């Protein structure tokens, strides 16, 4: 979702900000723009389309300047167009602003401003906020800093804003509530970004700005204040991230690179945490609240999208191993209904980005009601990781492809470690079974590697054959039911083919009506307790002339005689299987998307980090 970049320092700002916007393209956007401070005037360029369209539009025009702010917009209020693109210029022409988030009371502010004679060039809530700030500045004859503070006290909603003022050279004003903002510190220069990727090439020292903080950024100083005008000491952190991690490294797409990284990222998720030989799990992240978890009345997992699917797997595994009641909630529903939450509940938030607006707000509400918050988050220093009482990072590294792949398997790995550790502490698992599962988990990176090595050509061929399907059904049972949901979500996102995931037995209660010779049905059918039952479900599809594509365990002699297409995965324990069976489904979606000629890394309408509700 909207990307924000800023620079002020001794270098030309334009190439830094443009390059930064390209680094943020993965977040999803539909227009881009930049505002430069040039001598004592502001110059704005903005365009619907991609950053390269903006560059093309700017062409030979002047881009000189040592301070600039840039934006990629993911439309919320008003269609993607040149005039709705950011930055916006205030009516006075003195301020330029970019905004990520949604101003919920913008309609009221807009009508107040219209009564005073303001006219708007865009349909955005952002232009309203900008003029609201400017109006306060002009009426009160105060500085911009003071005006921002007054304005933000009246604003409801979420925002990161960056402003420049034609009369204050080399100064960027920035504030946040609910949307992410990172400031990178260089030698006599500062970088601003929605995440650290635009500044990685220049600095490893960053400050994560918190809600209700206002930053005044100049080349040689970073002043941080709260909305009460009190100074705050910036907490400088060192980034543990290399530039190579956000580049394609020879792969055609980030998504493919990230799928192929999984043997490594799964191992990274348990590195230093799992000692399979000694049957030991060390997870310092849960130590502080282990007793709370063990005695929890309920564990409530709150997440969205793929992370929600990881939560479903965790529900099955934690209930099986720990005998603790687990509920899995869509964050967007949980935050708005009136859930019964008590101090005996532990809320587990799962999020790759750590910035998903619905998840974040759901946690804030639960925290207010006394629940303990535990985060399973990938992005270090993200908002969710900071509001949680405790948590474990998933250590998947930056995920750039919009479709979550390696972040999902890293989430599963950490959730399985948590389940195993709790089960051991609670005494609900025998030492033999504990050791067995530790060893199975430890063996997964090699097994994923084997799938990537042996199955890719087969999956490519299947993808080519089924790339024109109009719809696909994904079925699984037990631990593989969430995998079916995840497989269907991946296909929808990447190929724009309609897909549904269902528990296989539920098929008879409706979806079976869809089955004919044109409907490919993907079965996640690795060997487990339910295997015979899922084989019967396959027969039911075949009896109705449906096409069966099956992910099965090596050595399975029955399924290949029924299925039209077979993809093999190595044998593993059924609890651990979701880590393995999802990989062929990621590849299938990827290759179908590629064969359909689509931009798999940046599917239409999607945003990597959904920072608005
Ligand atoms: C996954 O492929 C999606 N793009 C999406 O469903 C994602 O998982 C969801 O938006 C949640 O994001 P988060 O993990 O960053 O909170």
């Amino acid at each position: 979702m909207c990307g924000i970049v800023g620079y002020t320092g001794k270098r030309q700002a334009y190439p830094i900000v443009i390059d930064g916007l390209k680094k943020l393209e993965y977040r999803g956007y539909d227009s881009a723009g930049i505002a430069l401070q040039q001598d004592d005037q502001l110059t704005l360029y903005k365009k619907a389309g991609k950053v390269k369209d903006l560059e093309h539009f700017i062409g030979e025009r002047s881009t000189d300047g040592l301070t600039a702010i840039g934006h990629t917009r993911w439309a919320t209020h008003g269609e993607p167009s040149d005039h709705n693109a950011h930055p916006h210029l205030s009516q006075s022409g003195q301020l330029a602003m970019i905004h990520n988030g949604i101003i919920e009371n913008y309609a009221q502010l807009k009508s107040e401003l219209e009564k005073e004679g303001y006219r708007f060039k865009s349909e955005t809530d952002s232009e309203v906020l900008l003029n609201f700030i400017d109006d306060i500045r002009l009426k009160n004859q105060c500085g911009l800093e003071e005006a921002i503070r007054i304005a933000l006290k009246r604003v409801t909603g979420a925002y990161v804003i960056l402003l420049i003022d034609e009369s204050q050279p080399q100064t960027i004003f920035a504030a946040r509530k609910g949307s992410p903002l990172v400031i990178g510190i260089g030698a006599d220069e500062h970088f601003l970004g929605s995440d650290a990727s635009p500044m990685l090439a220049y600095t490893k020292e960053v400050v994560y700005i918190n809600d209700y903080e206002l930053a005044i950024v100049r080349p040689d100083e970073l002043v941080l204040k709260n909305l009460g005008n009190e100074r705050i000491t910036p907490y400088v952190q060192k980034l543990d991230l290399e530039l190579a991690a956000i580049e394609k490294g020879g792969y055609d797409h980030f998504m493919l690179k990230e799928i192929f990284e999984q043997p490594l990222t799964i191992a990274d998720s348990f590195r230093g945490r799992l000692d399979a030989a000694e049957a030991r799990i060390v997870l310092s992240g849960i130590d502080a609240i282990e007793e709370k978890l063990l005695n929890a009345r309920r564990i409530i997992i709150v997440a969205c999208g793929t992370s929600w699917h990881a939560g479903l797997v965790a529900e099955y595994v934690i209930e099986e191993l720990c005998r603790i009641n687990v509920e899995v909630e869509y964050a967007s529903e949980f935050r708005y209904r009136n859930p019964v939450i008590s101090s005996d509940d532990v809320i587990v938030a799962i999020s790759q980005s750590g910035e998903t607006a619905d998840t974040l707000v759901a946690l804030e509400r639960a925290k207010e009601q006394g629940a303990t918050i535990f985060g399973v988050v990938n992005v270090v220093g993200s908002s969710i990781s900071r509001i949680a009482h405790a948590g474990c990072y998933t250590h998947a590294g930056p995920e750039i492809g919009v479709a979550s792949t390696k972040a999902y398997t890293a989430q599963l790995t950490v959730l399985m470690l948590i389940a195993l550790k709790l089960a051991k502490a609670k005494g609900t698992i025998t030492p033999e079974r504990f050791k067995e599962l530790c060893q199975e988990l430890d063996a997964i990176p090699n097994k994923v590697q084997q799938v990537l090595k042996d199955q890719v050509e087969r999956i490519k061929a299947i993808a080519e054959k089924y790339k024109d399907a109009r719809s696909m059904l994904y079925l699984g049972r037990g631990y593989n039911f969430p995998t079916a949901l995840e497989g269907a979500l991946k296909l929808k996102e990447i190929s724009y083919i309609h897909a549904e995931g269902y528990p296989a037995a539920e098929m008879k209660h409706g979806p079976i009506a869809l089955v004919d010779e044109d409907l490919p049905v993907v079965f996640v059918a690795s060997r487990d307790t339910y295997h015979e039952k899922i084989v019967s479900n396959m027969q039911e599809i075949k009896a109705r002339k449906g096409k069966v594509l099956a992910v099965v365990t090596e050595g399975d002699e029955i399924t290949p005689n029924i299925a039209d297409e077979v993809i093999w995965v190595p044998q593993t324990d059924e609890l651990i299987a979701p880590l393995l069976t999802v990989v062929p489904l990621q590849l299938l979606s990827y290759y179908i998307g590629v064969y359909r000629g689509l931009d798999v890394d940046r599917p239409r309408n999607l945003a990597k980090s959904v920072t608005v509700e």
Side-chain angles (χ1 to χ4, degrees):
M1 229 150 239
C2 304
I4 277 196
V5 184
Y7 174 80
T8 184
K10 55 206 173 195
R11 310 182 213 214
Q12 286 296 312
Y14 177 75
I16 294 173
V17 171
I18 286 287
D19 184 55
L21 291 178
K22 288 181 185 162
K23 296 266 175 356
L24 294 179
E25 282 188 309
Y26 75 92
R27 296 168 68 86
Y29 72 107
D30 39 50
S31 56
I34 184 165
L36 297 137
Q37 268 187 341
Q38 297 190 307
D39 300 325
D40 56 354
Q41 67 170 37
L42 302 177
T43 304
L44 270 71
Y45 301 115
K46 48 194 202 167
K47 210 69 204 136
K50 297 294 174 194
V51 177
K52 65 175 176 354
D53 300 316
L54 174 69
E55 283 184 287
H56 188 251
F57 167 71
I58 295 172
E60 297 303 306
R61 292 179 167 96
S62 164
T63 56
D64 281 349
L66 304 178
T67 301
I69 54 176
H71 189 262
T72 48
R73 172 175 186 255
W74 189 86
T76 57
H77 295 62
E79 56 166 7
S81 66
D82 294 355
H83 65 274
N84 284 332
H86 299 211
H88 294 288
L89 191 65
S90 65
Q91 190 159 292
S92 69
Q94 292 165 354
L95 306 179
M97 189 184 94
I98 54 179
H99 167 221
N100 170 18
I102 289 182
I103 304 303
E104 284 165 8
N105 58 341
Y106 89 103
Q108 191 197 334
L109 300 176
K110 187 172 186 177
S111 86
E112 286 173 24
L113 290 168
E114 277 171 340
K115 278 185 202 136
E116 293 183 30
Y118 280 86
R119 293 294 169 262
F120 295 91
K121 297 193 193 84
S122 75
E123 295 125 78
T124 64
D125 51 341
S126 315
E127 192 190 3
V128 173
L129 175 59
L130 169 63
N131 280 304
F132 182 55
I133 293 171
D134 203 20
D135 189 56
I136 293 172
R137 183 179 72 96
L138 295 169
K139 271 199 201 125
N140 295 8
Q141 299 270 302
C142 63
L144 178 54
E145 182 191 327
E146 176 69 9
I148 295 172
R149 239 191 322 270
I150 297 170
L152 294 183
K153 286 186 188 149
R154 267 208 61 197
V155 158
T156 55
Y159 54 80
V160 164
I161 50 171
L162 261 53
L163 288 104
I164 49 177
D165 178 346
E166 65 168 19
S167 66
Q168 299 197 56
Q170 295 238 263
T171 309
I172 299 175
F173 295 85
R176 80 155 257 178
K177 190 206 150 203
S179 297
L181 176 62
V182 187
I183 299 184
I185 299 168
D188 287 334
E189 58 184 352
H190 282 103
F191 306 83
L192 298 95
S194 298
D195 63 36
S197 54
M199 57 201 76
L200 258 186
Y202 309 99
T203 183
K204 291 278 170 62
E205 303 218 314
V206 297
V207 175
Y208 292 97
I209 305 303
N210 292 309
D211 280 353
Y212 305 110
E213 286 179 356
L214 174 64
I216 302 107
V217 189
R218 301 192 180 90
D220 56 352
E221 92 176 321
L222 164 61
V223 176
L224 203 57
K225 293 184 176 178
N226 61 21
L227 293 187
N229 199 20
E230 292 159 338
R231 273 185 90 134
I232 300 164
T233 308
Y235 173 51
V236 181
Q237 299 188 42
K238 204 133 189 103
L239 279 177
D240 181 19
L241 205 60
E242 293 305 325
L243 198 54
I246 57 165
E247 290 175 344
K248 278 191 213 151
Y251 285 90
D252 288 343
H253 295 99
F254 281 111
M255 183 177 175
L256 190 63
K257 176 187 175 221
E258 287 157 5
I259 292 172
F260 273 81
E261 276 175 350
Q262 289 176 110
L264 189 67
T265 50
I266 293 170
D268 284 344
S269 303
F270 63 60
R271 198 178 310 286
R273 293 168 164 175
L274 170 69
D275 181 342
E278 295 296 322
R280 195 168 47 223
I281 291 174
V282 181
L283 263 184
S284 51
I286 69 170
D287 288 350
I289 65 153
E290 185 168 309
E291 280 307 305
K292 198 107 207 167
L293 276 162
L294 290 171
N295 299 310
R297 191 170 65 103
R298 286 176 312 171
I299 292 176
I300 305 173
I301 297 179
V302 176
C304 303
T306 288
S307 299
W308 186 81
H309 297 154
L312 280 186
V313 175
E315 177 185 27
Y316 281 53
V317 175
I318 294 172
E319 290 202 341
E320 166 69 25
L321 294 181
C322 313
R323 312 309 298 150
I324 301 173
N325 180 9
V326 181
E327 287 170 23
V328 189
E329 297 268 1
Y330 285 115
S332 53
E333 289 297 315
F334 189 72
R335 65 178 280 193
Y336 280 116
R337 63 188 181 78
N338 190 8
V340 180
I341 300 172
S342 79
S343 54
D344 298 339
D345 293 328
V346 177
I347 311 286
V348 175
I350 307 175
S351 177
Q352 186 287 128
S353 62
E355 302 292 349
T356 301
D358 283 323
T359 311
L360 195 54
V361 177
L363 298 184
E364 282 165 359
R365 300 272 145 84
K367 202 173 178 182
E368 278 159 22
Q369 292 178 59
T372 301
I373 312 293
F374 185 85
V376 177
V377 172
N378 191 37
V379 177
V380 176
S382 55
S383 302
I384 292 175
S385 71
R386 284 181 290 139
I387 77 156
H389 295 106
C392 289
Y393 282 117
T394 50
H395 297 311
E399 190 179 65
I400 309 291
V402 164
S404 194
T405 53
K406 65 172 183 172
Y408 177 68
T409 45
Q411 288 167 344
L412 293 183
T413 307
V414 168
L415 290 163
M416 285 175 188
L417 289 175
I418 291 171
L420 282 165
K421 183 161 166 54
L422 291 180
K424 190 171 185 199
K426 205 159 184 253
T428 45
I429 191 169
T430 63
E432 297 73 31
R433 179 78 175 129
F434 181 79
K435 183 162 190 178
E436 186 180 44
L437 286 173
C438 286
Q439 286 172 346
E440 287 291 345
L441 197 52
D442 193 48
I444 280 293
N446 283 338
K447 293 182 183 180
V448 171
Q449 188 65 55
Q450 202 177 317
V451 174
L452 295 172
K453 187 168 133 299
D454 299 343
Q455 301 299 310
V456 168
E457 291 310 317
R458 180 184 288 267
I459 294 169
K460 266 187 187 170
I462 298 173
E464 193 164 15
K465 196 161 162 191
Y466 292 91
K467 69 177 191 311
D468 297 318
R470 276 200 312 119
S471 182
M472 278 167 80
L473 193 58
Y474 284 70
L475 302 175
R477 301 181 79 122
Y479 300 103
N480 277 325
F481 158 54
T483 310
L485 294 182
E486 175 59 9
L489 178 67
K490 283 293 85 93
L491 189 74
K492 274 184 270 216
E493 288 186 293
I494 300 306
S495 71
Y496 314 153
I497 294 174
H498 170 255
E500 297 253 17
Y502 256 89
E506 194 63 21
M507 168 187 74
K508 287 202 271 300
H509 301 279
I512 199 164
L514 299 170
V515 178
D516 62 15
E517 60 276 15
D518 293 326
L519 185 81
V521 183
V522 180
F523 278 89
V524 192
S526 54
R527 194 177 295 118
D528 58 18
T529 321
Y530 317 89
H531 194 62
E532 278 175 21
K533 297 199 181 297
I534 207 157
V535 170
S536 309
N537 297 137
M538 277 184 209
Q539 301 279 21
E540 289 157 3
I541 296 292
K542 285 308 297 175
R544 287 157 185 85
K545 300 193 168 40
K547 295 275 179 298
V548 169
L549 285 57
V551 176
V552 303
T553 306
E554 284 167 0
D556 182 338
E557 287 175 0
I558 302 163
T559 321
N561 297 325
I562 308 167
D564 297 275
E565 318 288 347
V566 176
I567 302 168
W568 303 97
V569 294
Q571 167 68 41
T572 186
D573 192 281
E574 63 181 4
L575 266 80
I576 311 284
L579 269 163
L580 207 50
T581 48
V582 76
V583 177
L585 304 188
Q586 296 168 343
L587 285 165
L588 184 64
S589 308
Y590 171 78
Y591 285 114
I592 290 181
V594 169
Y595 284 128
R596 287 166 71 93
L598 300 172
D599 183 353
V600 292
D601 279 340
R602 285 169 294 174
R604 68 184 179 204
N605 305 336
L606 288 177
K608 180 69 184 164
S609 183
V610 184
T611 52
V612 296
E613 65 170 291

